[in-house]
Amino acid sequence: MLNKLTIKNIALIESVTIDFLSGLNVLSGETGSGKSVIIESLNFVLGAKADRSLIRSGQSDCYVCAEFDVSNNKSIFDTYNEFDFDCDDLLILSRKFDVNGKNSIKINGNAVNVSMLRKFTRSLVDVHGQSEHFELLNAGNQLKLLDNFCGDDAYSLKNDIKILYDELRAVNKSLDELGGDESYRLNRLDVLNYQINEIENANITENEESELQGIREKIKNQEKILNSLNSIKQTINAENGISDLILLGIKNANLISNFAPEYSNLYDQLSNLMDFSDNILSNTQSMIDGFEYNDYDNDYIEHRLELIKTLKKKYGNGFLEIMSFLKDAIIERDKLNNFNENAEKLLKRKDVLLHELFVLYEKLGVLRRDYALKLSNNVCNELYELGMENAKFEIKFNNAPIFENCKFDSPNGYDQVEFLFSANLGEPLKNLSSVISGGEMSRFMLAIKAQSAKYNDVSTYVFDEIDAGISGKVANTVAKKLVKISKNTQVIAITHLPQISVYADNNLLISKSEKDEKTVTNVKALTSDDKINEIVRLVGGSLDSKSAREHSIELIKEAEEYKKTI
């Protein structure tokens, strides 16, 4: 429920903080005092479209903060989890809007956008006349309300349907993994066979690409390579080359090797160097002798390299990835080839599930239609009590499909519903979203909510213009229905009628005053004495009138006595 609303710089409001209570909260005040601005501010923080006209004259921005107790609102905790927010029983929404059109929105300190804000607020407040939070304008919510009205019978059926529906989805998933329908399966087999044949026929080896690239480079640079190798050979083996110079050193070292150990070591080192030089010469000669690439067809090398390049583009960035792709493709092909054997049981189970689901869909459809008639009659009776003797309300269903046409795409059955309403004699029934809002629409919503409040996830109802066009006995009936609703759901109502104000658990007076040559809106929570004075004003009496005060006190007393009976 809404605990607190803080408003700054919206219309005539400079800065106010309003504390709301559970039960029935009633806002009253003179016409033009700013009651509607409070509802507009609430809509703003709940995610309604904002424009610069909201901002108080002379100010650069406006701000609203709303604090909600959501400890009993399961939907909010689902939304917490959806956005990975820390769950908290206190939900704090704040929204700031400046003259440049910039929004700053936070939920429990987390910055969010308007779309995310609305996901949180859709189950918080139902504000009559505002489509953003008018839950019953949504067809899905209409069906949900009807199902809740059906009670445990619908809950049990929907639970059975969900079990079968979940199993059907699992079976369909398994069938898809096996290859899906025959057309898809055959197309997929064609693709897999092509891919497998292409890889297998290529017959590539792990190091083939690098080896071919090496051969290509040697062929491309063979003249340069041979010239370099021959130059190395000449450097070692030519007259006065490296070999001759090392040999001369060995001879000189041998002349002195007996005179000291270090001379002997020098001789050994030069001998080893000579052996090393001979090895280099031998290896170089082998490279020269072995430089024969006539056996390699250059076109063949280029063809193989291009083939490997193509396979890498299609199937993986290297030999191992290509082989892994081949392995997976073979496994999938085998699975598809064995489809009939593997799928037979799944297809039989699917057929059983579809028929069992359709039976439950039909049972749920019959149940809904029976309860829809009961709900329609109950709402019409409520409307009659509210002074709308000629109002009509019906719940329209789609045509129930036959088995062959049923989509089986929902765990909620095949039904679609539409709430239709007509306020006056001779007016055709229309979809709720087509009905013009006003006092009659407010009373219709009151009738609906009188039947649905205990089933609805919404924790706060807001009624604006609830008293339009009513008085006397009907006004008293409206008040009593608001009291009944407020036992399960917090209610905030704006009214000009004493018959409604007397039933309030929390009376809030909206008034205007002048400050610094500007008009400002004020909000005051009324004490018991203040409430009496406000009822006197609403009944049109004078505060100095003893009879008016006694009448007001009597009205409040009767209201309190009635509330004790609920």
Side-chain angles (χ1 to χ4, degrees), residues 299-554:
D299 290 340
Y300 169 80
I301 292 172
E302 294 301 326
H303 169 73
R304 292 295 294 178
L305 287 172
E306 186 62 29
L307 176 60
I308 293 171
K309 181 180 178 181
T310 299
L311 293 177
K312 287 169 66 176
K313 283 183 178 179
K314 290 183 177 181
Y315 308 121
N317 197 34
F319 175 81
L320 294 179
E321 289 186 20
I322 294 172
M323 292 300 105
S324 177
F325 183 95
L326 175 62
K327 178 182 177 182
D328 292 341
I330 292 172
I331 292 173
E332 184 179 355
R333 183 185 63 180
D334 292 343
K335 184 185 292 185
L336 292 177
N337 283 328
N338 296 324
F339 173 82
N340 290 333
E341 178 183 345
N342 296 328
E344 184 177 358
K345 291 182 180 179
L346 289 173
L347 289 171
K348 287 182 178 179
R349 181 56 185 161
K350 179 178 179 178
D351 186 63
V352 171
L353 288 171
L354 291 177
H355 282 84
E356 289 180 352
L357 264 177
F358 191 74
V359 170
L360 293 182
Y361 277 8
E362 287 185 312
K363 288 183 178 179
L364 182 59
V366 171
L367 182 72
R368 283 168 169 166
R369 284 160 176 79
D370 289 343
Y371 274 92
L373 183 60
K374 181 179 179 181
L375 177 59
S376 298
N377 291 334
N378 288 356
V379 170
C380 287
N381 290 336
E382 298 272 3
L383 292 170
Y384 183 87
E385 293 178 3
L386 292 169
M388 300 178 69
E389 296 87 350
N390 296 312
K392 292 183 292 183
F393 169 58
E394 290 183 9
I395 300 175
K396 179 183 176 182
F397 284 81
N398 62 311
N399 292 327
I402 61 176
F403 176 81
E404 288 74 16
N405 295 333
C406 188
K407 295 181 179 180
F408 299 101
D409 58 354
S410 171
N412 206 28
Y414 55 50
D415 293 310
Q416 298 176 17
V417 301
E418 184 180 18
F419 281 13
L420 304 177
F421 172 63
S422 171
N424 302 299
L425 184 66
E427 289 185 1
L429 288 160
K430 294 180 181 180
N431 184 287
L432 284 183
S433 60
S434 303
V435 178
I436 299 174
S437 63
E440 291 172 338
M441 185 61 179
S442 292
R443 277 180 277 167
F444 167 73
M445 289 309 303
L446 181 58
I448 283 285
K449 290 167 185 177
Q451 290 293 315
S452 66
K454 64 181 179 180
Y455 306 123
N456 207 322
D457 288 337
V458 174
S459 58
T460 300
Y461 284 146
V462 177
F463 290 94
D464 195 2
E465 300 183 25
I466 190 64
D467 55 9
I470 63 172
S471 60
K473 182 180 179 181
V474 172
N476 195 55
T477 301
V478 168
K480 289 181 177 179
K481 291 191 183 300
L482 289 175
V483 171
K484 290 180 179 178
I485 293 172
S486 70
K487 292 300 179 181
N488 296 298
T489 306
Q490 182 189 46
V491 174
I492 299 172
I494 293 177
T495 187
H496 296 279
L497 296 178
Q499 291 97 323
I500 294 176
S501 291
V502 294
Y503 283 91
D505 301 300
N506 181 31
N507 288 88
L508 299 163
L509 178 64
I510 317 302
S511 61
K512 292 190 298 186
S513 63
E514 293 184 357
K515 179 181 178 182
D516 298 329
E517 299 184 351
K518 288 187 177 182
T519 302
V520 296
T521 292
N522 306 298
V523 181
K524 179 184 178 182
L526 301 183
T527 63
S528 297
D529 288 340
D530 292 333
K531 181 172 182 176
I532 295 171
N533 292 335
E534 176 62 4
I535 300 304
V536 170
R537 183 189 71 79
L538 290 172
V539 298
S542 168
L543 292 178
D544 297 329
S545 170
K546 182 179 179 181
S547 60
R549 288 187 63 81
E550 288 177 348
H551 177 57
S552 298
I553 292 171
E554 183 62 26

Side-chain angles (χ1 to χ4, degrees), residues 9 27 72 74 105 177 212 272 446 490 532:
N9 297 328
L27 284 67
N72 295 319
K74 180 181 180 297
I105 306 172
E177 290 173 351
L212 290 172
N272 291 334
L446 181 58
Q490 182 189 46
I532 295 171

